[in-house]
Amino acid sequence: MLDSYCKVLNKNRFKVTRQRKAILEAMEKAHGVHLTADDIYMDVKQNFPEIGISTVYRTLELLARLNIVHKTSFDEGKFRYEFCEDEGHYHHHFVCNGCGSIIEVEEDFLHHLESALEERGFIITDHKVQLYGYCPECRDRHTE
Amino acid sequence: MLDSYCKVLNKNRFKVTRQRKAILEAMEKAHGVHLTADDIYMDVKQNFPEIGISTVYRTLELLARLNIVHKTSFDEGKFRYEFCEDEGHYHHHFVCNGCGSIIEVEEDFLHHLESALEERGFIITDHKVQLYGYCPECRDRHTE
DNA sequence: ATCTTAAATGATAATCATTATCAATTAGGA
DNA sequence: TCCTAATTGATAATGATTATCATTTAAGAT
Ligand SMILES: [Zn+2]
Ligand SMILES: [Zn+2]
Ligand SMILES: [Zn+2]
Ligand SMILES: [Zn+2]
């Protein structure tokens, strides 16, 4: 997995540095979790104290440009990152207003909306669906 | 319209100040446009040079809390505001990667996604759908 | 209409995520 | 090994937003 990402870096003439590998490893370790730049920085620092926060931001920007990671905001005033899916089409997210947890949702009804727009002459390159509310653990606390 | 918003302020024991009225007026003037706090600040300043940017932020936060305006981010690193719809359920947005224009989309296929989650015990209070791509004016420039 | 007072305001500083700068380091090809 | 452009880390800068606090004001009581 890590190797295949390094191949993409190579293919695009970007150097495979210790820092970039460490960042990719940290993200792999947290697969399925939506990490902030700072989450990644803190984790990498454990085994690599010299790493700079700028390198983390720069690397994530690069990985996003290469379609290795997907950068998205859940309206918290900061961005979160996760690995892209192979198909290039993203799953959706449910954000709990109670505990803040972000839960992935597989269902996809967006084709309808997309084709309606494409008929009107738009080109759709990406979409984002975020649902907000209460997860089963928080719903009782909320309705009490 | 403005009067009905003032009524909501009154009902909730908030004062109806010149600043709050000016901000609501600026937003009414730009109905259908998705304004940033600074857009509103700049506009109100024309006829009300003493207004402070803090007041704009504070007022928007209050109006959002009262469900008068809806605050949303289009991943630009800042928030945009528009009046809530009566139903409490928002339209969707198409963001053009070319010119940055934000176009409203009425179609709503989200019930499906929402009921699927509700069956699993979640409570959905809000959703956000944002599509990205190229609008008809920008698509040729893009595919050239 | 005046008084009272808690709410609201504006100037300013603080915060926080992110980006830019730049001298020093380094990956990877010759 | 050498060369060099890419990369890095420290630091400063930015830009949006929030906090602080002395001053002003809306709106209810007199
Ligand atoms: Zn929860
Ligand atoms: Zn996800
Ligand atoms: Zn466009
Ligand atoms: Zn809208």
Side-chain angles (χ1 to χ4, degrees), chain B residues 96 98-101 135 138:
Chain B
C96 179
C99 62
S101 61
C135 71
C138 295

Side-chain angles (χ1 to χ4, degrees), chain A residues 34 82 91 93 104:
Chain A
H34 304 79
E82 63 178 328
H91 52 260
H93 296 101
E104 309 206 330

Side-chain angles (χ1 to χ4, degrees), chain A residues 94-101 103 133-139 141, chain B residues 122:
Chain A
F94 173 85
V95 182
C96 179
N97 289 154
C99 61
S101 62
I103 291 149
Y134 295 91
C135 71
E137 286 82 52
C138 295
R139 74 181 293 171
R141 223 170 317 150
Chain B
F122 293 87

Side-chain angles (χ1 to χ4, degrees), chain B residues 122-137:
Chain B
F122 293 87
I123 296 171
I124 314 290
T125 58
D126 193 8
H127 68 236
K128 172 160 85 167
V129 178
Q130 288 172 201
L131 299 143
Y132 300 85
Y134 295 90
C135 71
E137 287 82 51

Side-chain angles (χ1 to χ4, degrees), chain A:
Chain A
M1 202 75 269
L2 206 164
D3 277 0
S4 80
Y5 296 134
C6 294
K7 246 173 244 167
V8 178
L9 285 171
N10 266 320
K11 193 168 300 174
N12 291 82
R13 310 273 161 78
F14 292 108
K15 294 181 178 171
V16 176
T17 63
R18 287 191 305 145
Q19 289 84 341
R20 285 172 181 172
K21 275 199 272 192
I23 289 164
L24 284 166
E25 271 165 19
M27 292 192 69
E28 267 185 348
K29 221 170 48 190
H31 200 270
V33 183
H34 304 79
L35 299 164
T36 64
D38 200 61
D39 291 339
I40 295 166
Y41 176 59
M42 289 311 189
D43 185 68
V44 172
K45 242 175 133 62
Q46 309 278 2
N47 300 305
F48 198 153
E50 325 88 271
I51 190 104
I53 185 87
S54 326
T55 301
V56 175
Y57 276 107
R58 268 186 306 236
T59 301
L60 290 170
E61 216 52 49
L62 175 64
L63 296 175
R65 202 141 57 78
L66 296 174
N67 285 309
I68 291 172
V69 310
H70 187 237
K71 174 183 181 179
T72 190
S73 139
F74 294 91
D75 281 11
E76 309 159 291
K78 61 190 159 189
F79 289 98
R80 291 185 178 270
Y81 302 83
E82 63 178 328
F83 282 116
C84 285
E85 302 193 354
D86 296 331
E87 294 318 311
H89 241 143
Y90 310 110
H91 52 260
H92 311 313
H93 296 101
F94 173 85
V95 182
C96 179
N97 289 154
C99 61
S101 62
I102 299 165
I103 291 149
E104 309 206 330
V105 179
E106 296 304 331
E107 287 93 337
D108 187 353
F109 295 98
L110 267 286
H111 338 293
H112 302 77
L113 196 47
E114 293 189 358
S115 42
L117 275 166
E118 279 167 355
E119 266 164 36
R120 285 159 59 188
F122 293 88
I123 296 172
I124 313 291
T125 59
D126 194 8
H127 69 236
K128 172 159 88 169
V129 178
Q130 287 172 205
L131 298 143
Y132 300 85
Y134 295 91
C135 71
E137 286 82 52
C138 295
R139 74 181 293 171
D140 301 331
R141 223 170 317 150
H142 163 243
T143 45
E144 245 157 39

